[in-house]
Amino acid sequence: MASENPFKSILKTLEKPGGGEFGKYYSLTALNDPRIDKLPYSIKILLESAIRNCDEFQVKSKDVEKIIDWENSAPKQVEIPFKPARVLLQDFTGVPAVVDLACMRDAMNRLGGDSNKINPLVPVDLVIDHSVQVDVAKSENAVQKNMEFEFQRNSERFGFLKWGSNAFHNMLVVPPGSGIVHQVNLEYLGRVVFNTDGMLYPDSVVGTDSHTTMIDGLGVAGWGVGGIEAEATMLGQPMSMVLPGVVGFKLLGKLREGVTATDLVLTVTQMLRKHGVVGKFVEFYGQGMSELSLADRATIANMSPEYGATMGFFPVDHVTLQYLKLTGRSDDTIATIESYLRANRMFVDYSEPQVERVYSSYLVLNLEDVEPCISGPKRPHDRVPLKEMKADWQGCLDNRVGFKGFAVPKESQKKVAEFTFHGTPAQLRHGDVVIAAITSCTNTSNPSVMLGAALVAKKACELGLEVKPWIKTSLAPGSGVVTKYLLKSDLQKYLNQLGFHIVGYGCTTCIGNSGDLDEAVASAITENDIVAAAVLSGNRNFEGRVHPLTRANYLGSPPLVVAYALAGTVNIDFETEPIGLGKDGKKVFFRDIWPSNEEVANAVQSSVLPDMFRATYEAITKGNPMWNQLSVPSGTLYAWDPKSTYIHEPPYFADMSMSPPGPHGVKNAYCLLNFGDSITTDHISPAGSIHRDSPAARYLLERGVDRREFNSYGSRRGNDEVMARGTFANIRIVNKLLKGEVGPKTIHIPTGEKLSVFDAALKYKSEGHETIILAGAEYGSGSSRDWAAKGPMLLGVKAVIAKSFERIHRSNLVGMGIIPLCFKAGEDADTLGLTGHEQYTIDLPSSVNEIRPGQDVTVVTDNGKSFTCTLRFDTEVELAYFDHGGILQYVIRNLINAKH
């Protein structure tokens, strides 16, 4: 039972300098514990939350002591509870969260509980950053067309979210067209310090997208969790986490002329991947911090998932306060933030002597050592210095198929594919660019690289350079503010001239929403087996993600995207080869179109103004005409439409009773899929367009949905029937059971039939067989996706045995009742001689009290093999979820049983 907060004696009043008070706060300094001053700033946020929420029930005094003693306790992998200040949901991930909340209300109602107890207990910000299809990219009024198109296709989904905003308390829904969720979070939603009913405390947030970490650049502790964890947090459950180690990343010096924030983030990503930061916080410090704008910090923080860290954290300092002022936060708000953080010694003032923090490990980067670069062709951490790009590309053509190889035979490497583009003769070669997209939350929020791209376009246009008409160009800014400063600078017209029209404010190319390539281009690629390239300012370039026909996908800064679009190929040495011929027939080189740092700084200074932010975000409260016209039902219980192919009641609680089902082992299970290393959530989770021959397409066609109305998997995330059929439907997935064949199929072991993964899973279920998955290292890396766990659960998967798991994905599997097991060090399916044709039995005790986090478990196969795995339930709370059959069931039973 909850009791009085044992730390009430350190609840102090924060006085205003001129009289009056800002509010009450829990004073860390009043504890008079010298260990606190040495703590990393990011750990202090966990500490304050534990102290403020300490009730000796959900959060205990011993948890507070663990955090204070972080230097000694973190290496022991101790568990702590954390209650974030708020939850951030994005459109696609928000829909299933609201579906689950609506479903939980129904279940609560059926079980005799008060369904109105199912409400967010912490503020929930749900941003509809509608996905933008860029098929109208060459059009001047692309934004309006895309918005109309989105409302036409998604009115049911948008209406459902609008219903949710009325039905549930404590939920803010930001209408479509406002910006990408992480940018809206940075520019508008981020509080930095909360003042709730006179109580001051640091802002902290968990979000259902892994790039929630962008807010870390603002000094707000935030990271991605599975939708399942986010829902539990919304419902007042503490988040169970292992107290993380913190890597101290010291920055020195300043960036050289011509080097962008994107070059820096790709360098940092590579360094941190090499260092190994999975499950850790990274905290940036040092004199180089004063040279980094807030937008640059946010760019680095955004890519935390790509370097593997839970957070890339930048403590609040004067640069943060300047950004808050720039983005239209009030003077009173900023004064409160600074006063509170200074009082609790959570503010960094570089004009004062710095207390040396203790970190788990240390890295140093002199910003002067960063050089222009891009990353690819298949992973974000495979950085290539620009000067080495031509040689690296040649290596990729030569190398055997892999992360850095396409195995193109020597005699085919210079192949020229002749085709006709709208009546004009055209050619394609290996490495030719067919998609050039300024996109994604990582870069399109950073004025220096956005205005840098516009300056490249200006210089190129003035010199007479053009982009080939078959290259699909697009510009999807992070927020409406970008449009305002591009227009104010009078530079948007040059981007338009090169085909980089604004298509909307949302996720585009980096989640596969680039739309179709021109038929002539697509045919030239497929018929000649051309390794075509996409260049984008995104954060993800995993295979099959950007476009099925672009096998090479490179991440680069927005100005580099423009440069590569102009060059038309990635097979170029920018130092020695011309980008093209100008209007006078003269060769134009990269150096001729690249702006100086001073030019970029002047453009930012004169064009990015506070009023732009205020005007953009005032529109959030007013909505927009299309949003305001959506009519939605009233009532706190949702009226499910059985014919809907967008919103469907999932079967999670169909047979639920008040008694927990208890832990389950696995008996004589077949292997549904046998994977190698680096299977990402993009491989597992339904994403992108719905393939015309897929089980999901079959389901929609059977329900009278025209192919043109299929929409994307993301837009149908509220329908479990579609999503289950799209699980493991990635066209690039490699399943060892297929012996070299690539694609979303598997072998039904008892009959030897080759079937789609969904059909095989259905067949196993109909026969009464359980299934498991075998996997290599880093299983589930990439964006946190709840459907990467929900989908396998609906397919009947009972366990995943892997060499290692990505942090969020492992916890999501637990949340859906799937057992995560790790092979012992040095072992995997291959070394143990497992082919995936065996049947697997995993014995677990029948009582959860007999299971310990991280204990050894024996796996036995039907052909006499036996091996030991580590059971990856990492905390006692996760074991409780498993006992209840999942996290949502656990929450419902607890709410019904709650006596307080």
Side-chain angles (χ1 to χ4, degrees):
M1 297 290 287
S3 62
E4 192 175 57
N5 192 320
F7 293 97
K8 64 179 185 181
S9 63
I10 62 166
L11 186 61
K12 306 292 183 188
T13 299
L14 186 62
E15 309 284 351
K16 286 186 176 177
E21 60 181 64
F22 288 109
K24 306 274 187 213
Y25 75 108
Y26 282 92
S27 169
L28 302 186
T29 54
L31 285 171
N32 293 319
D33 193 318
R35 293 173 295 177
I36 293 175
D37 278 344
K38 289 175 144 188
L39 288 176
Y41 290 96
S42 48
I43 298 298
K44 280 189 172 184
I45 292 174
L46 301 183
L47 174 61
E48 189 283 336
S49 172
I51 288 171
R52 177 169 36 88
N53 290 297
C54 189
D55 60 358
E56 300 298 3
F57 176 62
Q58 290 187 327
V59 183
K60 301 181 177 178
S61 301
K62 67 180 183 184
D63 298 315
V64 172
E65 172 55 27
K66 284 179 194 171
I67 302 171
I68 292 174
D69 198 36
W70 169 85
E71 188 178 353
N72 297 311
S73 54
K76 296 173 189 166
Q77 296 282 292
V78 298
E79 172 197 348
I80 59 157
F82 175 50
K83 298 191 84 169
R86 63 188 169 100
V87 171
L88 182 70
L89 300 176
Q90 164 251 17
D91 173 15
F92 280 177
T93 47
V95 169
V98 179
V99 164
D100 289 354
L101 286 172
C103 207
M104 288 170 76
R105 274 197 174 170
D106 289 346
M108 193 87 156
N109 205 35
R110 278 198 305 272
L111 292 169
D114 178 3
S115 62
N116 287 324
K117 273 188 181 178
I118 304 287
N119 263 315
L121 296 180
V122 299
V124 173
D125 300 321
L126 196 161
V127 181
I128 304 180
D129 63 347
H130 68 295
S131 64
V132 179
Q133 292 286 346
V134 295
D135 286 315
V136 289
K138 299 287 184 188
S139 153
E140 288 283 357
N141 57 349
V143 176
Q144 184 62 21
K145 279 191 179 178
N146 259 317
M147 188 73 110
E148 287 168 5
F149 183 53
E150 281 290 302
F151 267 87
Q152 182 189 327
R153 293 212 295 183
N154 299 314
S155 57
E156 185 185 347
R157 195 160 52 93
F158 292 167
F160 175 68
L161 291 175
K162 194 172 177 184
W163 167 82
S165 70
N166 297 327
F168 297 106
H169 305 305
N170 227 4
M171 183 182 282
L172 168 71
V173 174
V174 176
S178 306
I180 295 177
V181 56
H182 309 303
Q183 189 56 25
V184 175
N185 195 19
L186 194 70
E187 293 176 353
Y188 178 71
L189 297 171
R191 280 72 154 181
V192 186
V193 170
F194 264 90
N195 185 345
T196 303
D197 301 326
M199 175 67 76
L200 302 171
Y201 53 95
D203 187 4
S204 57
V205 60
V206 288
T208 51
D209 186 281
S210 55
H211 294 108
T212 300
T213 53
M214 189 170 191
I215 200 69
D216 303 339
L218 194 68
V220 173
W223 59 87
V225 294
I228 305 150
E229 273 185 300
E231 289 166 34
T233 303
M234 286 192 291
L235 295 165
Q237 297 302 302
M239 223 179 73
S240 181
M241 63 185 285
V242 173
L243 186 62
V246 184
V247 178
F249 199 124
K250 191 172 191 177
L251 296 171
L252 306 170
K254 62 187 288 187
L255 293 174
R256 286 185 288 133
E257 183 66 38
V259 176
T260 68
T262 316
D263 301 323
L264 170 59
V265 73
L266 294 177
T267 303
V268 167
T269 298
Q270 188 182 44
M271 284 178 71
L272 288 168
R273 285 291 291 210
K274 188 176 176 187
H275 187 73
V277 292
V278 172
K280 295 175 184 163
F281 291 175
V282 176
E283 186 165 295
F284 293 87
Y285 69 105
Q287 290 304 321
M289 289 278 279
S290 58
E291 297 294 333
L292 279 188
S293 71
L294 199 291
D296 290 355
R297 297 174 182 193
T299 303
I300 294 170
N302 178 285
M303 278 191 81
S304 296
E306 281 69 40
Y307 45 81
T310 303
M311 279 207 299
F313 188 75
F314 291 81
V316 176
D317 60 13
H318 287 296
V319 173
T320 321
L321 300 181
Q322 287 161 10
Y323 181 81
L324 291 170
K325 194 170 182 63
L326 171 69
T327 49
R329 270 79 163 201
S330 72
D331 288 345
D332 282 352
T333 298
I334 296 168
T336 304
I337 289 168
E338 183 174 7
S339 299
Y340 168 79
L341 293 174
R342 281 187 182 276
N344 244 349
R345 294 188 191 166
M346 296 165 89
F347 185 87
V348 184
D349 190 333
Y350 286 104
S351 65
E352 297 173 357
Q354 296 300 300
V355 174
E356 195 62 39
R357 311 268 142 196
V358 175
Y359 293 109
S360 311
S361 60
Y362 297 82
L363 282 172
V364 181
L365 173 65
N366 190 325
L367 297 176
E368 289 165 19
D369 295 337
V370 178
E371 56 186 336
C373 57
I374 59 176
S375 279
K378 301 181 187 183
R379 296 190 301 186
H381 52 283
D382 290 333
R383 188 179 66 89
V384 187
L386 215 53
K387 63 189 180 193
E388 296 170 18
M389 182 56 197
K390 191 176 176 76
D392 193 83
W393 173 252
Q394 184 59 54
C396 288
L397 291 180
D398 291 337
N399 296 344
R400 64 187 178 83
V401 174
F403 295 124
K404 293 289 287 185
F406 298 106
V408 177
K410 280 284 184 200
E411 63 273 14
S412 304
Q413 289 183 6
K414 295 199 174 349
K415 180 192 281 188
V416 179
E418 307 274 355
F419 69 105
T420 303
F421 183 79
H422 297 225
T424 307
Q427 297 178 331
L428 273 183
R429 295 173 174 81
H430 294 301
D432 276 8
V433 175
V434 293
I435 292 175
I438 299 174
T439 178
S440 130
C441 46
T442 309
N443 288 290
T444 59
S445 50
N446 190 327
S448 65
V449 290
M450 294 302 283
L451 286 163
L455 287 166
V456 168
K458 177 177 188 280
K459 289 171 184 281
C461 290
E462 288 170 347
L463 289 166
L465 294 181
E466 294 178 350
V467 174
K468 292 184 178 75
W470 57 82
I471 297 177
K472 193 159 199 176
T473 45
S474 62
L475 165 57
S479 85
V481 176
V482 179
T483 304
K484 288 182 167 63
Y485 64 64
L486 284 174
L487 290 172
K488 165 86 174 155
S489 65
D490 203 27
L491 293 172
Q492 178 65 54
K493 61 187 180 189
Y494 299 109
L495 286 164
N496 289 353
Q497 196 175 320
L498 296 182
F500 289 94
H501 296 284
I502 293 177
V503 294
Y505 309 97
C507 294
T508 59
T509 306
C510 61
I511 60 159
N513 279 358
S514 40
D516 294 332
L517 293 177
D518 185 274
E519 280 183 27
V521 177
S523 298
I525 293 169
T526 52
E527 289 166 15
N528 296 278
D529 202 21
I530 294 291
V531 182
V535 182
L536 59 151
S537 64
N539 44 43
R540 297 273 163 85
N541 56 343
F542 300 123
E543 256 189 309
R545 182 183 176 99
V546 173
H547 194 283
L549 296 180
T550 58
R551 279 191 272 164
N553 301 283
Y554 285 95
L555 307 180
S557 65
L560 271 181
V561 171
V562 178
Y564 273 110
L566 290 161
T569 180
V570 296
N571 184 19
I572 183 171
D573 180 345
F574 278 143
E575 287 191 17
T576 61
E577 297 177 85
I579 279 180
L581 297 177
K583 52 192 167 192
D584 53 3
K586 218 167 121 186
K587 291 177 179 175
V588 177
F589 288 86
F590 180 81
R591 56 184 170 272
D592 300 325
I593 61 170
W594 201 255
S596 68
N597 289 6
E598 188 181 3
E599 285 175 284
V600 173
N602 288 342
V604 172
Q605 185 70 35
S606 60
S607 306
V608 185
L609 307 169
D611 283 349
M612 295 176 177
F613 293 91
R614 288 194 196 98
T616 298
Y617 289 111
E618 269 172 17
I620 285 178
T621 48
K622 294 175 185 168
N624 61 57
M626 284 182 271
W627 175 259
N628 294 340
Q629 284 161 22
L630 279 177
S631 62
V632 295
S634 56
T636 58
L637 295 176
Y638 189 67
W640 304 97
D641 177 1
K643 293 180 188 156
S644 172
T645 56
Y646 277 103
I647 308 294
H648 183 265
E649 185 175 13
Y652 310 140
F653 312 112
D655 304 315
M656 184 178 167
S657 68
M658 279 304 297
S659 302
H664 62 83
V666 175
K667 190 166 179 61
N668 290 328
Y670 283 100
C671 177
L672 182 64
L673 294 147
N674 184 1
F675 292 131
D677 295 343
S678 296
I679 290 294
T680 70
T681 47
D682 285 337
H683 290 119
I684 307 166
S685 182
S689 57
I690 296 170
H691 196 272
R692 58 189 302 121
D693 300 321
S694 64
R698 204 164 63 226
Y699 170 85
L700 292 171
L701 288 170
E702 284 166 2
R703 279 149 189 79
V705 179
D706 188 87
R707 286 191 191 281
R708 287 170 302 181
E709 302 300 323
F710 277 3
N711 214 328
S712 64
Y713 280 113
S715 66
R716 294 189 183 272
R717 258 181 166 146
N719 187 311
D720 57 288
E721 296 278 7
V722 172
M723 299 302 278
R725 285 163 172 79
T727 303
F728 298 111
N730 186 296
I731 58 167
R732 301 277 182 210
I733 204 162
V734 178
N735 171 15
K736 292 183 192 174
L737 293 177
L738 294 178
K739 299 192 180 343
E741 187 184 331
V742 176
K745 303 272 187 187
T746 195
I747 301 297
H748 177 254
I749 303 298
T751 62
E753 281 180 274
K754 184 165 73 173
L755 299 169
S756 73
V757 177
F758 175 78
D759 289 339
L762 207 60
K763 196 170 173 73
Y764 281 126
K765 284 171 90 172
S766 69
E767 295 163 346
H769 294 306
E770 296 181 328
T771 55
I772 61 134
I773 288 169
L774 294 176
E778 298 181 334
Y779 182 76
S781 54
S783 293
S784 63
R785 299 186 188 280
D786 54 341
W787 276 109
K790 287 178 177 175
M793 183 275 289
L794 291 171
L795 293 181
V797 173
K798 301 300 180 190
V800 178
I801 310 175
K803 282 170 76 173
S804 63
F805 291 93
E806 191 275 337
R807 178 184 67 86
I808 301 171
H809 183 62
R810 186 205 58 78
S811 81
N812 276 359
L813 291 175
V814 174
M816 294 315 293
I818 294 175
I819 305 166
L821 294 166
C822 273
F823 291 109
K824 289 296 180 182
E827 294 184 349
D828 60 21
D830 291 341
T831 64
L832 292 166
L834 304 173
T835 64
H837 286 258
E838 307 84 357
Q839 285 181 269
Y840 295 78
T841 296
I842 304 162
D843 273 328
L844 289 180
S846 56
S847 166
V848 76
N849 297 326
E850 296 171 38
I851 305 175
R852 297 183 319 281
Q855 78 174 50
D856 282 353
V857 169
T858 302
V859 182
V860 178
T861 67
D862 62 333
N863 61 352
K865 285 188 164 55
S866 174
F867 55 98
T868 304
C869 289
T870 303
L871 183 64
R872 286 299 309 277
F873 296 129
D874 289 358
T875 64
E876 297 293 341
V877 172
E878 288 187 347
L879 282 173
Y881 296 158
F882 184 57
D883 186 43
H884 279 259
I887 194 169
L888 301 180
Q889 291 87 340
Y890 170 85
V891 168
I892 290 173
R893 290 190 184 101
N894 273 14
L895 283 172
I896 291 175
N897 291 327
K899 299 285 190 287
H900 61 279

